[in-house]
Amino acid sequence: MLDQIARIADAGAAEVAAAATLDELRAFETRLLGKKSELNDLKAKLGGLQPDERRTVGLAFNDARARLEGAVESRRAALATAHRAARLDAERLDLTEVVAGRRLGHLHLVTQALERLEDVFVGLGFTVAEGPEVETDWRNFGALNFPPGHPARDMYDTLYVDYGEPGATLLRTHTSPVQVRVMTSQPPPIYSVMPGRVFRQDTADATHLPVFHQIEGLVIDRDITFAHLAGTIDAFTKAFFGGGFASRLRPSYFPFTEPSAEFDIIRPDGTFLELGGCGMVHPNVLANCGLDPEEWQGFAFGFGIDRLAITRFGVDDMRDLITNDVRFLRQF
Amino acid sequence: MKVLLSWLREFAPFDAPVERISHDLSMLGMAVEEEVHIGGGLDGIVVARVLELRQHPDANKIQRVTVDAGLADPVEVWCGAFNMAEGDLVPLATVGTTMPGGMEIGRRKILGEYSNGMLCSPRELELSDEGGGILVFAPGSAEPGTPIRDALGIEADLLWDLEINPNRPDAMSVAGVARDLAAYHDLPFALPSIQHPGAGPSTVAGVRLGAPDLCGRFTATVIQGVTVGPSDPTIARRLTLLGMRPINNVVDVSNYVMLELGQPNHPYDLVKVPGGVLGTRRAKDGETLVTLDGVERRFTADDLLIVDRDDRAVGIAGIMGGENTEIDDTTTDLVVEMAWFQPLAVSKTGRRLGLRTDASSRFEKGCDPAGIDRAIGRFVDLLGGTCEGTVDERGELPQPVPVRLRTARVNAILGTALAPDDVRAELEPIGFVVAAAGDDHDVTIPSWRPDCAVEIDLVEEVGRHWGYDRIGASMPASAHFGELTVRQYERRAVRRALIGLGYSEAMPMAFLAPGDQARAGLGDDGITITNPLVADESVLRTSLLPGLLKSVAYNLSHRLDDVALFEIGHVFRRPADPAADLPDEREHLGAARVGAEAPAAVEDWLALAEHLGLDAGIVAATSPGLHPTRAADIVLDGSIVGAVGEVDPGVLEAFGIAARVSWLEVDLGRILDRSYADRPFSPFSRFPSSDIDLAFEVDDATPAAVVLDAIRNAGGDLLVAVRLFDVYRGAGVAPGRRSLAYRLRFQAADRTLTDGDVAGARQGIIAAVQTGLPAVLRA
């Protein structure tokens, strides 16, 4: 019987090792190790043997079974490896043949600058206020301490539209009307910035656009001083431009602020960038917006965004911002 | 406003370094736009005598020149000019000189021989445009070695071009700038002393002051025995440097007094002013005058004119004189007008005529009515002649009232801790008369500061002279936090979603040309700009379509056809309520994809809507500008919020676009106000789901969306998802009909479905679709 077991094991192992496919291997496995296998038939005869002979044969039987199982597993592994290798070889791709198909879009340069400015001011504790681009003369000028016929109106080349009384409706020349909207619609304290599109009667050239973008800021609270204005401008400067930058205020004139100032950014190399205007909100403006100037005071500031945005990337013609050439748009 | 250092020094002994003065002018609010070193850039250039001229055998364009430059040894140079002779005096730029144009003079070797400097032409010295040859000085005019600045009599000076703000009428004169700067530098300041004693009332001249609301003071001074000729060289030189052409002594003194003291004035030839009478009156509507610049001007009743005895116009008050009374070479007697005109009126007339002069820019800001007397004296002192007398008439002048300045208010606004004496110390040196009133002050405004009328004006003056850079900087102390609104965050989400869909953001010109709207199929021009600079930028858009199509056309014309652009921008319509104070203005999103058909835009919209959590369907409809059979409205909560589809081929043709363009435009405000931020999480089932497919044959006129709605409505709670996955036309389907195949997923929230559940739902859906629609289930 021992011989018989050895013969089955030897023949079986040889067959398994020669199996060419996983299916063939599975068939051999069933025949050699399944319920109806030759080994199982022999196993049924174990009961008829003497106890010590039964142990010897039993051991041989287990050895044979283990040997066959081992052969199956090792053949299966070999076949799986070969199968995988064949598949991988068949699926070989040259990925450098791939050409760009889909593309993601790009945010406009001005939007990127605007969002970054908003984020810096949000970080400094400001909310963001918005308003319409077509405005009343009162919100754009009147409420801001420009009486009708005031020569300071000449500083703004205003575009008027054919709506309402002649001269009553215009394209906002600054985002200050949003300041008026905020002051007349919510009680102080106010800490807000007003980004947006503004309009001037101007010809588009390398350094001017009739339509451009500004961000203004407004703070109204009790006990707000010019020193707070200087501190806020400086905090913005360092947050937006970098720690090596500083700011400076020098006297200027705007009808809606007094004292008024221009603010310059001082670059690390000591050169200046004239950025914008600012000042303490004029008492007349506060009163026009229904606030008592003896109770509330504050500051406002504002500057253009488009030139700031293009300077950063060395773009020297502002018209590139409105041509929408995709070779321009895709660079940012 | 231009000022010269030498001129400023006539009023105060400025001794600070130039950089300090420049800095301080800016810090006083007179921004330095340009700083010019007069006579600068000539260091190292000396007079030299030509000793020998020698032709080089290998060069005919240049010659060898030996000069005596006042040094121990002669200097040899190469020179490309041949206009000088031995013995001539010429300018030599020595080695190491930086020329006015910036070029450095080095020691250069040509044909093996060194050039130890350069002989200069007038152009190279920036003295004139003359570049044809070397500058040759008059024989014996200077010794060799003399710096050419001395040889030419060029006085070193500094010129500043200052930007003067509208609230600084006092700084529209050299003396006024000096007053402000002297106070800042703690230097004594004095106006020019007047020698002319004043001659009393004139018996020759007369003044008829009309329209006293527009003319606050009018003086006419007669000066006799004048000889018209060239000006004193200093006066001529200063006028030239400040940008005015010297004409003759009378005109030059007139300009000089205006620049120095800020008082515009006008000299008339007495012979041309009958009876020496000058007056003022409002113009008659349509009245005309040819002004000094030779232009005929037409007036309205708001304009103030200067007239003569016969009521003939001889000038526009405060702006420009007439041609008819101009000074000429034969003039010997003058009548000089010095007046104060109402600033707003001058500004209005100037603006209407498009005429801004040195005089009007001063009257507009507000001149000093009390400064006229000094200006008359200065005029007589500088011109000479005999002052016969002055007629002086008054109209309505502003009467400044003292202003109470609270020290506490100064500190509350500026954030300073100034004592009452500090406040006084900043105001008095610039002419304010300050009287203590407890801790506060009553301040009398000087006549040259009409811009100061209320307390805050004085706070600014204190801050300006205390120094903005000394006020300090701190952050507001109160607690406040910053954030974007939901709508602002969502707008950013929209932008990024579009970028993910491959669109780049465009910002086309926000104005359209007349007819652009019509070309885009959008109807008439709507709201327009009444004073456009160019007609092509005069229309406010009602849709983002024309602007984006122009950008598309631009790119295609540059052979850039892989283009997908979006814009977020405002559009304007006349409002439903005509009494509204503003037009109907909305923020729109527009998106165009070149080379794509309508379904691409629908897919983009569905992706965006899904991203924003919007349950917004589309309904087939025509939309202005869009392809009539390839367009749909976007509907949210039963109202139309946008349109999607493909641009009308006719519109594309009108914009010169040869490709198809898909289009999406929505009212961003409407969708952002409705988007996902406030929508609660909806839980999904954890039990197994079961899918079935159903295909219906439907005629082409029945939209797929209708079939989908019918399936959804009949599906009940168990139908959790349904999707159109195939559209088939062809064999087996009748012409004019198509097969729409849907995959349906059933799932219960609380149990595993049975076969019976699904079969029941399936039957219900089939029955509902077949009864409700002209649709037949396909086997």
Side-chain angles (χ1 to χ4, degrees), chain B residues 695-715:
Chain B
F696 293 97
E697 193 182 305
V698 184
D699 67 78
D700 283 342
T702 306
V706 170
V707 180
L708 185 75
D709 281 347
I711 293 171
R712 270 199 186 131
N713 292 339

Side-chain angles (χ1 to χ4, degrees), chain B residues 81-97:
Chain B
F82 294 85
N83 65 317
M84 62 287 197
E86 288 172 4
D88 279 353
L89 295 174
V90 294
L92 170 73
T94 54
V95 171
T97 298

Side-chain angles (χ1 to χ4, degrees), chain A residues 299-321:
Chain A
F299 61 77
F301 57 85
F303 54 91
I305 292 169
D306 307 67
R307 197 161 309 160
L308 198 61
I310 63 169
T311 309
R312 185 160 173 229
F313 292 97
V315 177
D316 53 13
D317 192 332
M318 293 193 76
R319 284 168 295 193
D320 286 338
L321 292 175

Side-chain angles (χ1 to χ4, degrees), chain B residues 106-460:
Chain B
R107 192 157 174 262
R108 276 175 53 202
K109 201 172 198 176
I110 300 171
L111 297 170
E113 290 187 88
Y114 280 107
S115 187
N116 297 301
M118 185 181 87
L119 304 185
C120 311
S121 69
R123 184 192 290 163
E124 285 158 344
L125 297 172
E126 295 191 352
L127 296 173
S128 78
D129 281 345
E130 194 62 47
I134 297 304
L135 173 67
V136 178
F137 294 99
S141 61
E143 286 303 306
T146 309
I148 68 152
R149 188 183 293 134
D150 297 342
L152 293 167
I154 295 172
E155 195 182 319
D157 207 338
L158 266 139
L159 175 86
W160 287 282
D161 192 354
L162 305 176
E163 189 189 337
I164 304 299
N165 289 313
N167 67 331
R168 292 299 307 283
D170 63 300
M172 291 300 284
S173 68
V174 178
V177 172
R179 179 196 288 117
D180 214 34
L181 187 63
Y184 203 59
H185 283 189
D186 291 325
L187 293 171
F189 166 81
L191 284 167
S193 58
I194 302 301
Q195 310 303 318
H196 167 66
S202 168
T203 56
V204 175
V207 168
R208 292 179 188 162
L209 193 155
D213 54 329
L214 302 184
C215 180
R217 186 178 178 190
F218 195 101
T219 69
T221 301
V222 173
I223 304 173
Q224 294 165 323
V226 173
T227 308
V228 175
S231 282
D232 167 86
T234 302
I235 289 180
R237 174 177 160 271
R238 286 181 173 175
L239 291 181
T240 306
L241 289 172
L242 266 64
M244 301 191 102
R245 193 165 55 93
I247 302 204
N248 59 47
N249 52 347
V250 176
V251 176
D252 294 352
V253 162
S254 165
N255 285 329
Y256 192 89
V257 168
M258 174 182 70
L259 294 174
E260 182 177 79
L261 299 175
Q263 175 61 50
N265 58 85
H266 192 76
Y268 301 81
D269 187 333
L270 186 59
V271 175
K272 299 177 185 172
V273 179
V277 172
L278 289 171
T280 54
R281 66 161 167 82
R282 282 189 159 79
K284 299 177 190 92
D285 255 327
E287 189 172 357
T288 62
L289 170 71
V290 178
T291 42
L292 274 174
D293 53 2
V295 178
E296 187 185 75
R297 313 279 175 177
R298 188 172 293 274
F299 305 105
T300 73
D302 290 335
D303 303 323
L304 187 68
L305 298 180
I306 310 296
V307 293
D308 66 7
R309 185 189 63 192
D310 306 326
D311 211 31
R312 178 182 67 139
V314 293
I316 315 170
I319 301 179
M320 194 180 270
E323 215 175 37
N324 46 15
T325 50
E326 208 174 344
I327 301 293
D328 61 40
D329 291 350
T330 65
T331 302
T332 57
D333 297 344
L334 310 174
V335 52
V336 181
E337 164 208 322
M338 294 215 195
W340 185 93
F341 300 112
Q342 216 277 324
L344 270 182
V346 174
S347 154
K348 229 183 212 172
T349 297
R351 217 172 337 159
R352 200 179 49 70
L353 296 174
L355 187 58
R356 199 149 195 273
T357 60
D358 289 302
S360 72
S361 65
R362 287 172 173 80
F363 281 121
E364 270 177 28
K365 287 190 167 78
C367 289
D368 177 4
I372 288 175
D373 308 281
R374 179 177 303 273
I376 293 171
R378 187 66 172 153
F379 194 108
V380 176
D381 279 357
L382 289 172
L383 183 64
T386 308
C387 179
E388 182 270 335
T390 299
V391 183
D392 186 350
E393 294 289 326
R394 304 289 170 119
E396 295 164 20
L397 279 175
Q399 299 299 327
V401 285
V403 173
R404 171 63 58 88
L405 178 60
R406 293 166 293 171
T407 303
R409 183 71 170 163
V410 171
N411 288 324
I413 295 286
L414 297 180
T416 47
L418 303 183
D421 279 350
D422 296 329
V423 172
R424 165 195 292 268
E426 300 308 336
L427 290 177
E428 279 183 339
I430 47 173
F432 291 87
V433 178
V434 181
D439 279 348
D440 301 334
H441 295 98
D442 285 322
V443 180
T444 304
I445 314 286
S447 56
W448 58 85
R449 289 308 301 268
D451 58 293
C452 289
V454 292
E455 186 181 36
I456 195 70
D457 300 330
L458 300 177
V459 172
E460 180 173 60

Side-chain angles (χ1 to χ4, degrees), chain A residues 101 103-112 114-116 118-119 121-136 139 148-155 158-164 169 171-172 181 189 191 197 199-204 209-211 213 219 221 223-235 248-253 257-262 274 280-283 293-297 299 321-327 329-330, chain B residues 23 26-32 163 165-167 343-344 347-348 351 364 406 409 411-415 454-460 464 468-469 471-485 487-489 491-492 495-496 498-511 526-534 537 540-541 547 551 554-555 558 560 562-570 572-575 577-583 585 587:
Chain A
R103 36 164 123 231
L104 295 182
H106 296 257
L107 278 185
H108 195 275
L109 189 50
V110 169
T111 298
Q112 294 185 35
L114 258 169
E115 290 191 352
R116 198 164 155 252
E118 287 174 354
D119 291 346
F121 282 111
V122 165
L124 291 172
F126 287 74
T127 57
V128 178
E130 297 169 355
E133 294 171 357
V134 170
E135 267 292 7
T136 60
R139 283 198 204 90
H150 193 284
R153 288 187 177 213
D154 290 354
M155 291 156 69
T158 310
L159 290 166
Y160 290 88
V161 299
D162 65 338
Y163 184 82
T169 314
L171 283 152
R172 66 182 181 190
R181 286 175 178 273
Y191 292 81
R197 189 171 267 192
F199 306 82
R200 301 274 170 91
Q201 191 193 48
D202 211 339
T203 313
L209 292 178
V211 180
H213 299 80
V219 168
D221 207 338
D223 308 327
I224 292 294
T225 69
F226 193 88
H228 294 141
L229 166 60
T232 302
I233 294 289
D234 210 51
R248 136 181 129 163
L249 305 187
R250 56 190 163 79
S252 187
Y253 171 76
T257 51
E258 191 164 15
S260 298
E262 298 283 341
E274 291 182 19
M280 298 299 291
V281 179
H282 197 286
E294 294 289 326
E295 184 183 357
W296 300 104
Q297 57 193 47
F299 61 77
L321 292 175
I322 55 168
T323 308
N324 303 309
D325 189 314
V326 292
R327 291 167 296 185
L329 299 178
R330 284 174 185 154
Chain B
H23 174 265
S26 283
M27 288 310 289
L28 282 167
M30 299 175 283
V32 175
E163 189 189 337
N165 289 313
N167 67 331
L344 270 182
S347 154
K348 229 183 212 172
R351 217 172 337 159
E364 270 177 28
R406 293 166 293 171
R409 183 71 170 163
N411 288 324
I413 295 286
L414 297 180
V454 292
E455 186 181 36
I456 195 70
D457 300 330
L458 300 177
V459 172
E460 180 173 60
R464 201 167 65 83
Y468 278 12
D469 48 353
I471 287 177
S474 58
M475 292 297 280
S478 81
H480 52 273
F481 59 93
E483 60 171 352
L484 296 181
T485 61
R487 181 160 171 177
Q488 288 158 354
Y489 276 117
R491 189 191 288 122
R492 290 186 176 194
R495 281 202 160 95
R496 274 148 189 87
L498 284 155
I499 279 172
L501 292 169
Y503 291 96
S504 282
E505 187 181 15
M507 284 193 185
M509 168 55 81
F511 304 139
I527 297 173
T528 56
I529 296 169
T530 55
N531 59 334
L533 209 53
V534 282
E537 296 167 4
L540 301 191
R541 55 203 179 166
S551 294
Y554 167 90
N555 279 294
H558 289 74
L560 303 163
D562 174 20
V563 174
L565 298 174
F566 81 95
E567 181 191 3
I568 290 179
H570 291 211
F572 308 85
R573 287 176 187 283
R574 297 204 179 273
D577 171 13
D581 70 341
L582 287 175
E585 177 172 342
E587 186 178 31

